[in-house]
Amino acid sequence: MARRATKKSKKKRSRRVPRRTSKKKSSRKLPVPGFFRKIPWLKVFAAVTVVFLIYVTYLDFVVRGSFEDSRWQLPAKVYARPLELYQNLRLNADDFERELNLLNYRYAYQPKESGTFQRDGNGFDIVTRAFTFWDINELSQHIHVSFSGDHVSRIKNVRDGKEIALLRLDPVLVGGIYPLKKEDRKLITLKDAPELLPEILVAVEDRKFYKHFGIDPMAIARAFIANIRAGKSVQGGSTITQQLVKNFFLTNERSLWRKFNEIIMAVLLDFHYEKDEIMQAYINEIYLGQDRSHAVHGFGLASQFYFAKPIHQLNLNQLTTLVALIRGPSYYHPENHPKRLLSRRNRILEILLEQKVISPELYAATKSLNINIIKKRHVAVGQHPAFLDLVKRQLREYYPEEKLQSEGLKIFTTMNPVLQLDAEQSTRKRLASLDRQKKLNNKLQAAAVVVNSTSAEVLALVGDRNPRFSGFNRALDASRPIGSLIKPVVYLSALQQHEKHSWSSIVLDKSISIKTKDENIWTPRNYDNTSHGEVTLITAMTKSYNQATVRLGLEIGFPKINQVYKKLGGPEDLPPYPSILLGAQNLSPIEVTQLYQTLAANGFRSPIRAIREVLDVDGQPLRRYPIKVQQSINSDDINLITSGLVQVTKTGTASALSKRLPNIHVAGKTGTTNDTRDSWFAGFSGSHVGVVWLGTDDNQPTQLTGSTGALQLWADIFRHANTESLKIEKSDNIESQWIDSKTGLLSKSSCSGSMQLTFVKGTAPTESANDCPRSGVREQINNTVEWFKQIFR
């Protein structure tokens, strides 16, 4: 039975076999490409593996090379001059408060934290910031500064009550020299950061940071499933290491290839470096906002950008606010989307509470706080492009562009940030007013330079009617005819010939015709188209008579005038053309400033400079830019010309300054070129030299003379400059006399038309004017006061 059953079962199976066989035959009929059967799959797998390993090796080279050699391109930081406080410093309380505001010092009822202050009338309680300079590390101090009028009266340490002889505040950051990516950051070490920051980042961004090998496969899988279900990207699975790789090495492109590279490079980064190194790099690299055209990277800079505080001073509220921005600085923008940002910060606080990073008490206290982000946030960009342009040009003499853009140099400049802002605001307002008066359709342009009269340090520089415009820099590059600004050179050349010329000497102001080298006839005219006959040198210069100046210049000779011009700082030799005597020479405003700086410094010429010190990224000095001084012209001769330039501003073409600046004495000269195409004024006080040019880029007439145009802007700037009154230096070889400006004879201070001028001893007139018209009472008083000031200086 068993056998039959077996046979029967075999028969049954045998009946089924043909059907199965027929199926196999039908499946074999499917065509299989010959090339597919011939592919050596083992070799293909081996080749792909080799290519993959080569590519991974390449990525490994990229990761290690970039991460170790040069982790970031750090822009050079450009600082204004640090404000040095000492007793009797000429500075008023309002300007001091403006500087504190520019430094982002915060008002506090009782200042305790660094970077806070309180003002009570003319007194300030301040907790200064620590700062590393080229010569000293200034520590944070709690100080009290008192002002009396326009001077600092007292500086004391609040903690011990001791007087402070000298205190240097941290400088205003005015801009930077940026790499092509236009990224900015302030590097910090992990030990500089608050201890809570890494804990917050791990809790919010990557809970397994200290456990995984650069990527979290489970997180990636969860994010993939969530995104598939939602039909869009709703969840990310990137670790802190992946985020760092994406920011540091890759772009924001959304593609599988970029994600593949990100994963491989994250694993490599984790393999080669410690977790703390990766965390520190992440803290310095992560993108946290936008400062106009420049990206703000890292918590170090973000703490300054959003809260005007160093990173170690941030509290839990501020730290969680910055961490909230990681998901999207634009989406959580503090001004545009404050509710979103607040909601995200609160969610982060909840996560920290859930993971027991913070206590319930701290959670409740922090959640009740508002997000207090400062309103004026401009710490990264260059707000003064014309000045920065000058800085870059002077730096390029010693540093290549790549070094300036990538090595984090600290550049301390000479800029006075308060005066710079005043110069910019004055330029905007004055040009808008002149445009309306003359109907120039906003074509009028401007340039202004203000330097320290003794050191030649550039304090303020404007290169455009819109001072924040970073295009053509007219202060440096607008080479225009300087007009009558050249006349002090001509008259100084004459006054150096003591035996021939003094202010009382007579010169003929009469029409003159001169044949030029090209056989043309040149006939200069006075601005009023009138000849004035015999006039004194002082009258010819104060009234800016062209004909008298040309005759005097021809008498002196071009070699002598060119010699004086070069000693004053002229950039190149003057061509020996008669028209040069009336300012046909083209100069830029900064080149004119060099000439007048030598006059203001009593004959001591210093090259104009905008840089004091350069430090490397670690604060070590690289190069100093010391003041270079050379006496090029005798001080007694400078005394002579200065007394005449003072009279230009009192009775001559610049007499409007007597009303605009009634409380200070200044010297200067107006300049107007043919058809009023250029309006100039150059002048100096006891502490500042300023040059202003107005004109149009297409060289069209402006209807503005030197006095109706450039002088007005110069007065606007100097009215805010807190400048010192000009004093003529004493000398054993120089004497001061009152003379009659018309006759050149001795006069009295009470006489109308009398001027107090300086003479080399033995060259002053000895005769007195017969006719002495009495001045008005007010003029007599003013003249007498002036006389006493001159005598008792």
Side-chain angles (χ1 to χ4, degrees):
M1 293 292 291
R3 288 179 182 174
R4 286 196 297 269
T6 303
K7 289 179 180 179
K8 188 175 183 179
S9 62
K10 286 182 178 180
K11 288 180 180 180
K12 288 182 178 179
R13 284 199 296 270
S14 66
R15 283 196 291 267
R16 295 191 188 100
V17 168
R19 289 198 294 270
R20 287 200 298 268
T21 303
S22 63
K23 286 183 179 178
K24 286 182 179 179
K25 287 181 179 179
S26 63
S27 64
R28 286 173 183 167
K29 292 179 181 179
L30 293 175
V32 178
F35 76 90
F36 190 79
R37 293 197 303 270
K38 295 178 181 179
I39 292 177
W41 290 107
L42 186 60
K43 292 183 179 180
V44 169
F45 176 77
V48 170
T49 302
V50 169
V51 171
F52 175 75
L53 291 176
I54 292 173
Y55 187 66
V56 169
T57 303
Y58 162 73
L59 291 181
D60 185 69
F61 174 78
V62 171
V63 167
R64 286 193 295 167
S66 299
F67 203 73
E68 291 177 3
D69 295 341
S70 179
R71 298 194 180 182
W72 291 278
Q73 285 188 315
L74 297 178
K77 298 290 187 182
V78 182
Y79 295 93
R81 61 91 186 94
L83 178 60
E84 294 182 332
L85 296 172
Y86 53 88
Q87 192 174 7
N88 293 323
L89 170 68
R90 187 177 182 87
L91 179 68
N92 62 56
D94 290 340
D95 283 348
F96 181 60
E97 184 173 7
R98 291 175 65 195
E99 181 125 3
L100 291 177
N101 289 329
L102 289 173
L103 283 165
N104 285 325
Y105 274 62
R106 306 179 312 282
Y107 186 85
Y109 178 66
Q110 291 182 329
K112 293 180 180 179
E113 293 183 350
S114 66
T116 58
F117 77 99
Q118 179 188 29
R119 178 178 180 178
D120 183 11
N122 286 328
F124 292 80
D125 271 331
I126 310 166
V127 181
T128 65
R129 296 192 187 108
F131 195 87
T132 300
F133 291 97
W134 56 91
D135 56 351
I136 191 174
N137 291 330
E138 284 282 1
L139 302 177
S140 176
Q141 299 185 63
H142 190 176
I143 64 169
H144 183 83
V145 182
S146 302
F147 290 83
S148 177
D150 288 338
H151 291 83
V152 175
S153 59
R154 190 182 183 193
I155 312 169
K156 72 173 184 178
N157 189 308
V158 172
R159 295 187 176 95
D160 58 20
K162 293 182 179 180
E163 298 285 333
I164 298 175
L166 177 67
L167 178 73
R168 188 186 290 168
L169 293 182
D170 53 309
V172 174
L173 178 63
V174 297
I177 303 172
Y178 294 92
L180 295 178
K181 291 183 178 179
K182 292 191 175 182
E183 296 177 354
D184 197 8
R185 57 177 55 79
K186 182 178 182 180
L187 294 185
I188 60 173
T189 62
L190 201 56
K191 65 180 181 180
D192 294 330
E195 292 183 9
L196 200 55
L197 179 58
E199 294 184 52
I200 298 173
L201 290 172
V202 170
V204 175
E205 295 295 323
D206 188 357
R207 298 182 187 182
K208 297 181 181 179
F209 174 72
Y210 289 102
K211 298 177 181 179
H212 60 60
F213 52 92
I215 61 173
D216 185 353
M218 292 300 295
I220 294 174
R222 284 195 304 269
F224 179 77
I225 294 171
N227 294 338
I228 291 295
R229 288 176 176 174
K232 59 180 180 179
S233 179
V234 295
Q235 183 176 330
S238 296
T239 63
I240 283 178
T241 313
Q242 286 177 265
Q243 292 180 48
L244 176 60
V245 165
K246 183 180 71 173
N247 279 270
F248 195 82
F249 299 102
L250 306 174
T251 67
N252 288 324
E253 175 193 7
R254 290 177 176 269
S255 68
L256 291 175
W257 179 247
R258 198 223 71 191
K259 196 68 177 178
F260 170 76
N261 285 327
E262 177 188 302
I263 291 172
I264 298 300
M265 296 173 86
V267 172
L268 292 170
L269 195 66
D270 191 88
F271 177 76
H272 288 296
Y273 302 100
E274 298 293 333
K275 292 290 186 180
D276 283 351
E277 289 185 273
I278 295 172
M279 176 61 75
Q280 179 173 292
Y282 180 83
I283 287 173
N284 284 304
E285 174 62 25
I286 194 67
Y287 171 66
L288 291 171
Q290 197 73 20
D291 186 5
R292 296 183 182 176
S293 62
H294 295 79
V296 176
H297 283 260
F299 284 85
L301 184 63
S303 64
Q304 295 285 354
F305 182 60
Y306 290 106
F307 300 108
K309 287 184 178 183
I311 184 69
H312 65 271
Q313 289 186 5
L314 298 191
N315 56 33
L316 178 62
N317 177 31
Q318 294 159 339
L319 288 173
T320 50
T321 299
L322 293 184
V323 173
L325 293 168
I326 292 176
R327 290 289 177 91
S330 297
Y331 187 79
Y332 295 106
H333 193 280
E335 276 84 30
N336 298 341
H337 307 290
K339 292 182 179 179
R340 287 181 187 171
L341 181 59
L342 182 62
S343 177
R344 177 62 184 163
R345 184 212 64 176
N346 290 342
R347 176 56 188 148
I348 290 174
L349 290 173
E350 290 172 4
I351 293 172
L352 298 180
L353 180 63
E354 292 168 2
Q355 298 189 38
K356 298 182 180 180
V357 177
I358 60 175
S359 66
E361 293 78 14
L362 184 56
Y363 165 79
T366 306
K367 189 174 181 180
S368 65
L369 298 175
N370 293 323
I371 296 177
N372 295 318
I373 288 176
I374 61 173
K375 294 182 179 179
K376 295 182 179 180
R377 301 195 304 275
H378 301 300
V379 299
V381 298
Q383 301 182 57
H384 313 287
F387 187 91
L388 287 175
D389 185 22
L390 174 61
V391 170
K392 291 176 186 176
R393 296 189 194 195
Q394 294 190 353
L395 283 171
R396 287 188 189 118
E397 296 179 16
Y398 303 101
Y399 301 102
E401 189 74 18
E402 307 79 53
K403 190 167 187 174
L404 295 175
Q405 292 178 347
S406 62
E407 296 195 9
L409 302 183
K410 296 178 181 178
I411 300 155
F412 294 90
T413 72
T414 60
M415 177 196 284
N416 179 326
V418 174
L419 182 56
Q420 175 71 34
L421 287 177
D422 286 335
E424 292 175 357
Q425 292 169 3
S426 297
T427 300
R428 288 193 190 94
K429 291 179 180 179
R430 179 56 62 178
L431 263 69
S433 174
L434 292 173
D435 270 332
R436 289 193 299 269
Q437 292 176 22
K438 303 299 182 180
K439 299 180 180 178
L440 295 173
N441 298 320
N442 297 324
K443 292 178 64 177
L444 189 63
Q445 271 295 350
V449 184
V450 182
V451 305
N452 180 284
S453 57
T454 55
S455 67
E457 293 182 333
V458 181
L459 307 177
L461 189 139
V462 177
D464 192 278
R465 65 176 293 143
N466 177 9
R468 300 297 168 89
F469 178 67
S470 59
F472 182 55
N473 191 344
R474 293 162 189 81
L476 307 184
D477 299 324
S479 187
R480 305 290 290 249
I482 63 174
S484 294
L485 297 190
I486 196 66
K487 288 178 181 176
V489 179
V490 177
Y491 286 87
L492 175 57
S493 303
L495 292 171
Q496 285 182 326
Q497 300 176 354
H498 305 151
E499 68 286 354
K500 290 185 178 181
H501 298 290
S502 72
W503 286 124
S504 292
S505 301
I506 300 298
V507 63
L508 186 62
D509 183 59
K510 184 179 179 181
S511 179
I512 182 173
S513 297
I514 303 170
K515 182 179 289 187
T516 62
K517 289 185 177 181
D518 56 4
E519 300 300 320
N520 290 323
I521 301 298
W522 181 64
T523 305
R525 294 281 186 267
N526 290 331
Y527 184 75
D528 60 2
N529 287 317
T530 302
S531 297
H532 304 90
E534 291 187 345
V535 296
T536 59
L537 257 63
I538 188 62
T539 297
M541 194 181 76
T542 57
K543 302 301 181 183
S544 202
Y545 292 157
N546 291 334
Q547 295 171 159
T549 301
V550 170
R551 288 180 179 273
L552 181 64
L554 292 175
E555 178 188 344
I556 299 165
F558 283 104
K560 173 64 176 175
I561 294 171
N562 183 63
Q563 183 185 41
V564 171
Y565 172 78
K566 293 290 291 181
K567 287 183 176 181
L568 287 172
E572 55 188 19
D573 288 332
L574 291 172
Y577 305 140
S579 59
I580 291 296
L581 299 171
L582 299 183
Q585 176 71 0
N586 286 8
L587 294 179
S588 67
I590 201 163
E591 289 172 333
V592 173
T593 305
Q594 184 70 79
L595 300 177
Y596 278 77
Q597 183 275 328
T598 309
L599 294 175
N602 217 29
F604 290 87
R605 187 178 76 232
S606 297
I608 289 177
R609 66 185 188 129
I611 306 168
R612 288 184 175 179
E613 303 282 343
V614 178
L615 309 184
D616 66 16
V617 68
D618 297 318
Q620 297 301 311
L622 288 180
R623 184 176 185 84
R624 303 198 66 180
Y625 288 74
I627 299 173
K628 298 178 181 178
V629 182
Q630 176 187 4
Q631 184 168 16
S632 58
I633 296 183
N634 184 279
S635 296
D636 291 340
D637 293 334
I638 295 294
N639 260 328
L640 302 178
I641 191 66
T642 299
S643 68
L645 290 173
V646 169
Q647 293 303 324
V648 172
T649 68
K650 292 185 176 300
T651 63
T653 56
S655 59
L657 284 178
S658 297
K659 294 181 179 179
R660 296 292 311 279
L661 304 171
N663 299 320
I664 62 171
H665 300 290
V666 296
K669 187 70 187 74
T670 56
T672 310
T673 61
N674 291 342
D675 300 322
T676 65
R677 298 177 191 277
D678 301 274
S679 171
W680 289 91
F681 186 77
F684 51 92
S685 64
S687 53
H688 297 87
V689 181
V691 173
V692 171
W693 168 84
L694 301 182
T696 63
D697 289 338
D698 58 6
N699 202 31
Q700 293 300 306
T702 64
Q703 306 174 54
L704 295 170
T705 64
S707 59
T708 60
L711 179 144
Q712 301 302 320
L713 177 53
W714 191 94
D716 295 338
I717 296 171
F718 270 66
R719 186 167 57 88
H720 296 290
N722 195 24
T723 192
E724 296 180 7
S725 192
L726 178 63
K727 299 177 182 179
I728 297 178
E729 298 291 330
K730 295 179 181 179
S731 170
D732 294 336
N733 298 323
I734 296 293
E735 63 180 350
S736 179
Q737 296 287 352
W738 286 93
I739 70 163
D740 176 59
S741 59
K742 292 183 179 179
T743 64
L745 302 178
L746 294 176
S747 184
K748 298 177 181 179
S749 62
S750 59
C751 295
S752 178
S754 62
M755 298 179 181
Q756 190 180 35
L757 296 165
T758 54
F759 296 85
V760 173
K761 285 186 176 179
T763 65
T766 56
E767 298 181 17
S768 298
N770 293 326
D771 184 20
C772 178
R774 305 291 293 181
S775 302
V777 175
R778 180 174 295 179
E779 187 176 351
Q780 289 183 35
I781 295 173
N782 290 339
N783 287 342
T784 303
V785 170
E786 175 66 22
W787 182 77
F788 273 106
K789 286 181 178 178
Q790 291 285 353
I791 291 297
F792 292 107
R793 275 178 186 150

